[in-house]
Amino acid sequence: MKILVIGSGGREHAIAWKLSQDDRVEKIYAAPGNGGTACENKCENINIKADDFQGLIKFVKENNIELTVVGPEDPLSKGIVDTFEKEGLLIFGPNKAAAMMEASKAFAKDVMKSANIATADYAEFTNYDDAAEYVKKKGAPIVVKADGLAAGKGVTVALSVDEALNALKEIFIDKVFGAANNIVVIEDFMEGEEATYLAVTDGEKIIPLSVSQDHKRVYDDDKGPNTGGMGAYAPAPVCDSKKMDYVTNHIAYPMIKELKKRGITYKGVIYAGLMINGESIKVVEFNCRFGDPECQVVLSRIENGFLDALLASAKGSLGDINIINKNMTAACVILISGGYPKEYKSGYEITGISDADGIDNIKVFHAGTKLENDKLLTNGGRVLCVTAIGNDLKAAIDKAYEGVAKISFKDMAYRKDIGKKGLSK
Ligand code: GLY
């Protein structure tokens, strides 16, 4: 079987790697891929952009590709699944209407309200004056969310009224997220610990994968600006199996059932960002794809069933398919170009990856890398994701840092405290 994976991050490298382990898979193309997918077993990069739907469809047809797997949210929210399905092509991911769960905060909140899914109280605004009056009345801390996709930058957890007003000014007046992004959701601040629930669905049945914990801030002890994610581990002790079942039954199923009522079949990945405070579990956000780097740890735990689940989800027939996890913990540390998420430089040679990869139970996923004249160079903010599995969280974390110690490139930086919260449980 030939498979196309769309995207170019660590998440897509992990998807390609996991699929390449299945004997039925003969070839995997990554569009556009990265330095890691270029070198991965059975993989080849193709130079077609994720938003070039017609180019991708032509390639899929010409190369008899049986399944396309979409990594990032952008093509999903632009309707890549609808476009492929119109051509009779099998593709894993939600269609445009279902991807609104990530692409519109206001839509997701409305679905949660109708489905009685626990989430922060909120109000929706279409102009600065009304939103500002609401913020002044409610006080801080308060959360301001731009409605549409904003490359992870649309959410402000404002610790003061001035910070919230500034976020509103950026959205409504400065239009930093574009003129079309003119709806704002303002939510009550939630206390607790965040975790990411990932599952695969065909719109009827849900297969939960693992609950993981991401590290969003750039510096140790959750200091500094937000990033795409600096490391992760799974399973996260903050969400034990009883709580995970609760999320499946009281959050994930009600979400897909509510969408069904609205005429939308949600297929693909369910990503529920959770806020857990003791026994209270509330939804922070839904996303319509695997998290990055959550995907890298969640897929590292999978023993078998991944390809079958993706195929069956795309066909709408999960039936009695199951995914079996290894009884192990996975942890990953992201190596960044110093300066990220702000200004940073690229193009530096990376050494030591094969030494790290050569250690048992370590896999180095690439994110911002490129292969040039047989040299591997840094090519982005998040460069590599050193992932390890171990018998428990401490073993997985220690192993991941053992891999990190082998790798170097100019300006390399990383967090030294991945998994600290999990270890303290
Ligand atoms: N790591 C957070 C996300 O993928 O949205």
Side-chain angles (χ1 to χ4, degrees), residues 37 54 58 74 112 124 126 137 171 183 185 217 236 253 283 307 360 393 398 409:
T37 50
Q54 293 312 322
K58 186 165 174 277
D74 253 359
M112 285 188 257
E124 201 181 305
T126 52
K137 199 171 81 198
I171 298 166
I183 300 175
V185 168
R217 305 274 177 169
Y253 271 112
V283 174
L307 173 61
D360 269 357
L393 181 55
D398 288 349
F409 55 85

Side-chain angles (χ1 to χ4, degrees), residues 330-349:
C332 73
V333 179
I334 301 283
L335 307 184
I336 58 167
S337 300
Y340 168 83
K342 298 193 173 128
E343 297 263 296
Y344 60 85
K345 291 197 173 121
S346 284
Y348 298 128
E349 188 173 358

Side-chain angles (χ1 to χ4, degrees), residues 140-217:
I142 196 158
V143 180
V144 177
K145 294 182 170 178
D147 180 59
L149 292 182
K153 297 187 187 97
V155 177
T156 303
V157 180
L159 300 180
S160 67
V161 167
D162 279 350
E163 204 183 337
L165 293 177
N166 190 49
L168 292 174
K169 178 177 163 288
E170 282 185 355
I171 298 166
F172 284 124
I173 297 167
D174 305 340
K175 302 204 181 294
V176 295
F177 303 118
N181 216 331
N182 56 4
I183 300 175
V184 162
V185 168
I186 303 180
E187 281 184 1
D188 289 358
F189 175 80
M190 289 189 277
E191 299 275 358
E193 218 179 291
E194 285 194 59
T196 303
Y197 167 96
L198 289 175
V200 171
T201 184
D202 61 356
E204 297 285 340
K205 179 185 161 169
I206 290 171
I207 305 179
L209 302 175
S210 301
V211 177
S212 55
Q213 195 161 48
D214 186 12
H215 298 64
K216 293 205 167 78
R217 305 274 177 169

Side-chain angles (χ1 to χ4, degrees), residues 214 216 228-229 271 287 289-294:
D214 186 12
K216 293 205 167 78
Y271 173 131
N287 291 325
R289 37 79 196 174
F290 286 114
D292 185 344
E294 293 98 316

